[in-house]
Amino acid sequence: MPCLHSEALESMEPGSVSPGASPDAGAESMRRGIVSDSPMVQGTGWFFSPLWSPRSRLHSRKFGDGTTSYQEDAWLDDHSDFTRAYFLRRTSAVSCPQTEMSPLLSRFQRRSSDHSEALMKAPYRRNSSPLRSSDLNVLTLTDRRLASNLSVPEWMDHFGPDVKESHSPCCLCLPRCSRFQFSPCQPRAPVCPCSSSLPHPPQFFPPTSCGHGDGCPWMMGLLGEGLSCMGSLAELCQGTVIHVGELLGAEGGSLSLVRKHCGGRSSLEDVIALTSLGHLNEGNPYSQAHLELVKGIMGCVMATASPINLRDASEDPRFNLANDQTSKIRTVLSVPISNHRGEVLGVLLMINKRNSCDGSRSVFTNVDEKVLSNHMDVLGTVLDNVQLYEGARQEAKRSKALIEMAQVLSKEHHSLEVMLSKMAATIMPFTHAQYCTIFIPSEQTSDTEEKTLFSRVIHLECEELGSTCQIYRREHDLRNIDPSCAFRTLTSMETLNMSKSSDELKRSLICCPVRNERSENVIAVCQLMNKQSRASDEMEVFNRYDERLLEDLAVYCGLALQYAQAVQITEERRASIEVTQEVLAYHITAAEQEIQALQEATIPSAELLNILDFHFSGFGVPEDATTQSTIRMFLDLNLVQDFNIDYKSLCQWVLTVKRGYRNNVPYHNWHHAVSTAQSMFAMLMATDQLQTIFSRLEILALMIATLNHDVDHRGVNNSFIERTHQPLAQLYGHSSLENHHYNLCVFILNNTGSQILSGLSAEEHKALLHLIKRAILATDLTVYMERRKEFFSLANKSGVSWKSEKQRDLLRSMLMTASDLSAITKPWPEQKRIASLVAMEFFAQGDKEREEFKIKPIDIMNRENSTRLPYMQVEYIDEVCYPLYKTVSRLFDSCSPLLNGCKKNRENWLQLADEQEKENNENFTA
């Protein structure tokens, strides 16, 4: 094909007229072609123009005066209007007149003045039958762009039916790979028109084809089968260089692909280094200087994404060429290999074009650039598909590795080393690394001593056995492993990918830091070394996919290390808690003499202890009487017999609960606990209906809950604990005190010697703890205020059966509150004394709020309102106590003493308030 243009030029003599055309018409056509062209330019300077390519429509036209054969070729290529008119005349001379032009051809001729780059193709015919319009399908640049935006059926509508039938789906899916469509009756090989044995008129091949039209074996092979017919990527690139080299008549060529590095930097890597096309398998005739020149040109093409056509490399000011370089490299044509998104995938470079007819030196023309660009468009599409396929395959491998590492992380392992070893073993087959090492730094690091920087090393080796591999974990001393690269990664906190070569060995290596997600500190370093080539014994450099896999491993190693650290901290804290519990159990457990004394003591009857009376108060009872009263309650309710409670364990449990209350708290102490338990006991004993409603397990839960409902009370409420951000608030969030009381209750029940629930089955024990927790949490007044409306509504209904668990839970909660607030029902002297204890505790909290938070406490905790205590007590009875006792008394008549005591105390407080108001008025008037 390269000799086609020069021979066509020789046959086109000035003034010659094709058969069937008038001389005037030929001259006029000649004049039109000359007038429309740009004037000639003196000198043959360098060209840096994409000419007419898929990426640009710039069309540079520069010629020298003293034209040679290859300069005439270039002139003819640059004057497409004249060339089109000439070949139309030549075609009409050997065929019958066309009856009717296709619409597409008519449109093309109407736009010929605007699209001087478009050329006409006359298909080669073995007979002299007239040309049909369907045989002349020309696609302009505008039409090609339109077709590229259409779907396959829409795009095919631009062509005749014979053209549609000749295209395979593989060709139609890529309209950008060819700017023209041709009839299938074209020959499969180009024919040199200068041949004397040519029996038919010369065939003109359009500048966008390689002489085969759409039947180019190279293009058809790529579009039809891709790499499956070309072999490996290296073989594809080599075939590309050979094909375009023969097509353009170039002496040598080079092809490089773009590699993207970490951080977004890109570089070119040689796939086919600059070499003579006739000596691909022999030594390279070009020096290092030539290679550097070619590298610079290709780098410029990659950076600009535009072709470079040097028709005289020695005159290009951008490149400094020595004499030996200009003697071997005269003309250069280099084009980018891009995908449909315009991303540069590689660069192809051809040097020193030769005329295929006489071997004379020539230059790369604009047509050569177009042809080469079209071929690189096809190659770019294939390479893009190869990259997409390879990316999908690598992502599938990566997903598999991630799943395997996640599975390893989710399982329990007896040591951290085993977990990390299994994680590292998952990526070694994917990266083909011979060694994988995980460096764990010591807590006290040194910037100078690398050997002592890492405290532990996990080292794995991979041995390939055919298609499989075996991974071993080797025990290595730190002194036998080079930590220099790991140390660099540890200090720089960045991924390191490098290859080292020496006389003794050649190795590739990649290191990645393992970070703590919270602190961003490097807590370990993962290292892969010696990527093994599957095709040979040589070492390869780790690529970006290997880096990503190693980074994934680093993430999972970081999670594993953080998990191990969390487990270690948890275990340490658990051990610390166990030690604290041991200390607490020792100090909270009553002395053996005290336990023995209570065990051997004779417990008075309930009548003698007065615990059946609702007027009983634990605040006026001696210490020994409180514990004996508690034992009597459990005995009279038959809880000891029913649940097989060991008597000594019961005595120790009661004394331990007593020691769990703080003596420095004025009101919420052991005496309040005994009063609460006695109120519950009195209601249960006085009301047979309650013992019928509740099961034996529920009654046991109520007695344990009342006795423990304020254990370890601190003398402050939940609001104060939350505002001061105490550990209790952080531990529970809501109802902090009540949750703490329940947990301490369970702790005492599990304490050695105090296990009164040992006779219960596992199901009974679990159910009992649930009942105790619900009962203790019900003593939070916030919970009471939320649930009492439901209880009042239920009590107003007639014939409540209390068979529902929800109803019984509500009843148990209300009875717990009634027992907890029972101090308001005690005889007036006792009620007044207890009220002063409550006020003392509340005022102490108010003083703390005033000092610590600089805020004014609420009225009931403000010491300045101490004179208003009677008024506040009346409000407390009216809003909280009276509605509850009124409802309980209506449900159970035997509980009416609680309501009556509440009423009497209200009257007393109201009378005291009136007296105080009268006294205040007298002081005011005085």
Side-chain angles (χ1 to χ4, degrees), residues 54-55 176-177 179 338 372-381:
R55 303 166 187 82
R176 63 191 290 278
C177 67
R179 294 182 176 84
S338 304
L372 188 58
S373 296
N374 287 333
H375 280 70
M376 293 307 101
D377 286 343
V378 177
L379 179 61
T381 301

Side-chain angles (χ1 to χ4, degrees), residues 262-318:
C262 298
R265 185 177 60 88
S266 300
S267 65
L268 287 174
E269 289 191 357
D270 290 338
V271 179
I272 304 297
L274 180 62
T275 184
S276 175
L277 297 183
H279 306 83
L280 283 177
N281 298 324
E282 300 178 4
N284 195 337
Y286 300 100
S287 65
Q288 185 63 30
H290 295 111
L291 299 179
E292 292 296 329
L293 171 64
V294 168
K295 184 177 179 181
I297 296 175
M298 298 176 77
C300 184
V301 172
M302 181 191 71
T304 61
S306 301
I308 289 181
N309 190 348
L310 304 180
R311 300 189 177 183
D312 190 348
S314 62
E315 297 184 4
D316 194 312
R318 294 170 299 175

Side-chain angles (χ1 to χ4, degrees), residues 587-776:
H587 289 282
I588 202 174
T589 303
E592 186 65 28
Q593 296 83 358
E594 190 178 1
I595 299 172
Q596 186 176 359
L598 179 60
Q599 181 182 357
E600 296 176 355
T602 301
I603 306 300
S605 64
E607 290 77 9
L608 292 176
L609 293 172
N610 200 30
I611 57 177
L612 294 174
D613 190 353
F614 284 100
H615 294 162
F616 174 87
S617 174
F619 287 92
V621 178
E623 294 290 334
D624 292 341
T626 58
T627 56
Q628 293 177 2
S629 299
T630 305
I631 297 294
R632 175 52 61 187
M633 295 176 198
F634 276 77
L635 291 173
D636 287 1
L637 287 171
N638 294 324
L639 298 178
V640 176
Q641 299 85 342
D642 293 344
F643 294 101
N644 195 23
I645 299 176
D646 180 70
Y647 188 73
K648 181 179 179 181
S649 299
L650 178 62
C651 294
Q652 180 175 331
W653 175 75
V654 171
L655 293 172
T656 303
V657 172
K658 175 177 175 291
R659 292 172 68 93
Y661 282 89
R662 303 191 179 192
N663 296 325
N664 61 339
V665 177
Y667 173 70
H668 291 94
N669 51 35
W670 167 248
H671 297 282
H672 167 66
V674 173
S675 297
T676 304
Q678 185 273 333
S679 296
M680 180 65 70
F681 171 77
M683 285 189 288
L684 291 173
M685 295 297 292
T687 311
D688 294 336
Q689 186 181 358
L690 286 177
Q691 296 199 39
T692 304
I693 292 173
F694 296 133
S695 66
R696 301 301 297 164
L697 200 65
E698 288 175 299
I699 293 175
L700 177 62
L702 288 173
M703 293 305 299
I704 294 176
T706 51
L707 205 62
N708 290 268
H709 80 283
D710 275 334
V711 65
D712 195 40
H713 199 287
R714 283 89 188 283
V716 293
N717 58 12
N718 286 324
S719 177
F720 182 85
I721 290 177
E722 292 174 2
R723 286 200 302 269
T724 54
H725 304 288
Q726 294 185 14
L728 285 180
Q730 299 176 2
L731 186 61
Y732 302 113
H734 66 91
S735 299
S736 302
L737 281 172
E738 288 71 25
N739 278 287
H740 175 60
H741 302 327
Y742 165 72
N743 286 332
L744 192 55
C745 170
V746 174
F747 172 77
I748 296 174
L749 287 171
N750 293 329
N751 190 25
T752 303
S754 302
Q755 299 168 340
I756 62 174
L757 306 180
S758 59
L760 275 65
S761 65
E763 293 78 8
E764 291 175 334
H765 189 273
K766 180 179 179 181
L768 179 66
L769 293 183
H770 175 72
L771 293 172
I772 294 173
K773 183 174 184 179
R774 294 284 299 176
I776 292 179

Side-chain angles (χ1 to χ4, degrees), residues 409 423 514-515 517 523 554-564:
L409 185 62
M423 286 184 180
V514 179
R515 301 176 185 272
E517 293 184 356
I523 57 179
V555 171
Y556 278 91
C557 285
L559 293 175
L561 289 171
Q562 292 179 61
Y563 171 76

